[in-house]
Amino acid sequence: MPLAHPFDDDKLKEECGIFGAVGVADAANFVALGLHALQHRGQEAGGIVVHDPVHGFNSARRMGYVRDNFTSHEVMQTLPGNVGIGHVRYSTAGNKGQTAIRDVQPFFGEFSMGGAAIAHNGNITNADALRRELIERGSIFQSSSDSECIIHLMARSMGRTIPDRMEEALRKVEGAFSVVAMTRTKLIGVRDPLGVRPLVLGKFGDGYMLASETCALDIVGAEFIREVEPGEMVVISAKSGVQSHFPFRRRQSRFCIFEHVYFSRPDSILGGRSVYETRENIGRELAKESPVEADLVCPVPDSGTPAAIGFSLQSGIPYAMGIIRNQYMGRTFIEPSEQIRNMGVRLKLNVNRALIRNKRIILVDDSVVRGTTSRKIKDMLLDAGAAEVHFRIASPPTAWPCFYGVDTPQREKLLAATMTEDEMRDHLGVDSLKFISLDGLYRAVGEAEGRDPKAPKYCDACFSGEYPVAPTDMIEKGFQLKAAE
């Protein structure tokens, strides 16, 4: 099992990626390829469930990378069928480094009308309350995942069909969810009414695919049809095609804006917009808002690269690869010694000394969370002879935790929650530090007038502290919401 990289804990992590296929021979192969493309959304574990008329439901759940677990003939031949779903995950903040095989999705349930499997991206904000209620009524849970609540709610439903039962179950759920599910013949996809987490629909021959991102459709050669709309349920079969309906009350969508900043792959399409082009626009906005005299614009690879290119194009300051990433480090560096750990980010990043010596460097990164990695990178640049280091951050200060499916530290561990921008600059020891404004970020994603404070288009709770769905479980545990202004 790949261990969490010891120097990768200073980024927010999307906790899940999901993929489903129906109406294609050897669906498990499509699912495995799709999950491979979504590996950035979860690297701790993965699972696949399929159905075949002869062999019934079969599943495989493994710790670690898709490429290490779902590429061998021995494993894939145990997963026959023309319908299947899969899931990749990170461990949650509460179970850091303690992912258990019992928590690996998809989850399977046997109902009176047949079996069904379900995989979920997001977070159920009333999962603790639901779990308590279900246990008191006799349910026996097999995992610590909030997603299992959906299976138990479906089991208690009196709906005639599995989609009916899923509808009833999801009406009791609060929070953010994009779901892929399957029966013996159908693939089902659902997004929560706010559409916080992504889900897209594709077509391959006579078959169909559902995925967290369009890059997963690209890898299997599927045609991108459209996004599943917020609050929509699609029920898909090879015979009947796509049937769509809306089981939830219509609401203003609040898609996660951090998908544009960092989570999604730059080659994906979100809301009809290229993620790469949006990130380049973020860099341009950042250069307009926070110009500084310098010699080079350098990204923190790889997530800061598009924004750094945009900053360079807007400012006219040359772009350069001042930091080189070790592409083979990954997250599989097993049990490094204490001496190796003390080398810090040098295991993963190395300064291009000849390029940056005596130069004033603008360093562009996607975010600052705890600030630990930022300080180490700054030290590396100064040690290599940089004359000045100016940080430019392609997102507003991350001052609030996310409760909608992102692995976020507790609020007191977020640098922006306890320090002003000037205090963060001094803490990081850089010549200047500037974040893009929330209005600037909205302009970069296509909102020309910036953020409408009365009706924001996106979920930006990690920046604004304004949660579109109350985090019920966390409030019960004492979490303090932002006071009304």
Side-chain angles (χ1 to χ4, degrees), residues 253-330:
S253 66
R254 297 289 295 274
F255 183 64
C256 171
I257 200 166
F258 215 81
E259 291 278 356
H260 287 286
V261 174
Y262 176 67
F263 294 141
S264 294
R265 267 181 36 170
D267 51 333
S268 286
I269 305 294
L270 292 178
R273 299 175 59 85
S274 159
V275 174
Y276 178 90
E277 290 178 4
T278 296
R279 290 177 186 169
E280 187 180 293
N281 288 341
I282 291 173
R284 289 179 180 273
E285 287 290 337
L286 190 52
K288 293 175 187 176
E289 290 185 350
S290 303
V292 61
E293 292 187 5
D295 301 305
L296 296 174
V297 177
C298 301
V300 175
D302 291 312
S303 56
T305 300
I309 291 172
F311 194 106
S312 172
L313 291 172
Q314 182 65 38
S315 65
I317 299 172
Y319 169 88
M321 293 297 292
I323 299 174
I324 307 300
R325 183 175 183 267
N326 178 358
Q327 300 293 337
Y328 301 97
M329 188 66 191

Side-chain angles (χ1 to χ4, degrees), residues 343-409:
M343 292 181 183
V345 293
R346 295 176 194 273
L347 284 168
K348 186 175 181 181
L349 303 173
N350 192 47
V351 175
N352 191 344
R353 289 174 173 266
L355 186 69
I356 64 95
R357 186 178 294 118
N358 299 322
K359 298 292 197 310
R360 298 168 296 174
I361 305 298
I362 299 172
L363 201 60
V364 180
D365 203 357
D366 60 271
S367 60
V368 172
V369 182
R370 294 181 179 91
T372 51
T373 301
S374 300
R375 292 184 70 178
K376 291 173 182 175
I377 293 173
K378 176 268 302 184
D379 289 341
M380 289 169 59
L381 289 171
L382 292 179
D383 289 346
E388 296 176 5
V389 178
H390 301 272
F391 262 109
R392 292 297 180 267
I393 310 302
S395 62
T398 305
W400 296 85
C402 175
F403 302 119
Y404 305 133
V406 177
D407 185 15
T408 316

Side-chain angles (χ1 to χ4, degrees), residues 38 200 211-219 222 224 227 267-270:
L38 298 172
V200 298
S212 291
E213 294 182 41
T214 59
C215 65
L217 301 178
D218 294 338
I219 198 174
F224 170 53
E227 295 184 358
D267 51 333
S268 286
I269 305 294
L270 292 178

Side-chain angles (χ1 to χ4, degrees), residues 19 134 154 160 169 206 219 326 372 383 403 437 444 471 475 481:
F19 192 92
L134 287 163
M154 289 172 63
R160 293 187 303 105
D206 295 329
I219 198 174
N326 178 358
T372 51
D383 289 346
F403 302 119
S437 68
I475 291 171
L481 294 175

Side-chain angles (χ1 to χ4, degrees), residues 20-297:
V22 66
V24 293
D26 299 318
N29 290 328
F30 286 87
V31 175
L33 284 169
L35 294 180
H36 178 72
L38 298 172
Q39 191 78 85
H40 60 289
R41 300 183 76 89
Q43 300 181 18
E44 304 291 350
I48 297 175
V49 174
V50 295
H51 181 270
D52 175 74
V54 176
H55 301 92
F57 285 94
N58 283 286
S59 67
R61 296 188 289 174
R62 301 286 191 275
M63 311 305 296
Y65 286 125
V66 174
R67 71 182 183 213
D68 295 332
N69 292 309
F70 297 103
T71 53
S72 72
H73 177 69
E74 290 75 18
V75 172
M76 301 311 291
Q77 71 177 353
T78 68
L79 299 169
N82 66 354
V83 57
I85 62 172
H87 185 273
V88 287
R89 81 185 297 268
Y90 276 119
S91 56
T92 60
N95 293 315
K96 197 67 168 173
Q98 299 178 12
T99 302
I101 196 69
R102 68 191 182 118
D103 293 327
V104 180
Q105 299 182 44
F107 294 126
F108 177 79
E110 194 71 62
F111 305 101
S112 58
M113 68 286 292
I118 186 170
H120 164 229
N121 172 30
N123 193 55
I124 299 173
T125 56
N126 64 334
D128 290 349
L130 288 173
R131 181 182 284 258
R132 285 195 304 269
E133 178 184 343
L134 287 163
I135 289 174
E136 288 172 359
R137 294 167 61 187
S139 294
I140 299 173
F141 280 76
Q142 301 296 318
S143 77
S144 64
S145 172
D146 58 357
S147 309
E148 193 182 354
C149 289
I150 301 172
I151 286 284
H152 287 285
L153 290 169
M154 289 172 63
R156 293 188 171 274
S157 167
M158 299 303 292
R160 293 187 303 105
T161 68
I162 286 173
D164 288 343
R165 291 190 174 208
M166 183 173 293
E167 269 190 40
E168 185 177 331
L170 292 176
R171 286 196 188 100
K172 298 177 181 177
V173 164
E174 299 173 4
F177 54 85
S178 283
V179 169
V180 292
M182 59 175 282
T183 67
R184 289 169 291 187
T185 60
K186 293 181 173 64
L187 179 66
I188 304 167
V190 193
R191 283 181 79 188
D192 72 78
L194 296 180
V196 177
R197 305 255 70 86
L199 189 64
V200 298
L201 172 66
K203 197 171 192 307
F204 183 90
D206 295 329
Y208 293 88
M209 314 278 172
L210 290 169
S212 291
E213 294 182 41
T214 59
C215 65
L217 301 178
D218 294 338
I219 198 174
V220 300
E223 176 191 2
F224 170 53
I225 303 299
R226 63 177 178 88
E227 295 184 358
V228 176
E229 294 184 37
E232 182 183 14
M233 171 182 278
V234 290
V235 181
I236 311 168
S237 69
K239 290 184 179 180
S240 304
V242 180
Q243 298 176 328
S244 167
H245 63 288
F246 291 83
F248 311 105
R249 179 174 60 86
R250 294 277 191 147
R251 299 175 62 184
Q252 169 65 45
S253 66
R254 297 289 295 274
F255 183 64
C256 171
I257 200 166
F258 215 81
E259 291 278 356
H260 287 286
V261 174
Y262 176 67
F263 294 141
S264 294
R265 267 181 36 170
D267 51 333
S268 286
I269 305 294
L270 292 178
R273 299 175 59 85
S274 159
V275 174
Y276 178 90
E277 290 178 4
T278 296
R279 290 177 186 169
E280 187 180 293
N281 288 341
I282 291 173
R284 289 179 180 273
E285 287 290 337
L286 190 52
K288 293 175 187 176
E289 290 185 350
S290 303
V292 61
E293 292 187 5
D295 301 305
L296 296 174
V297 177

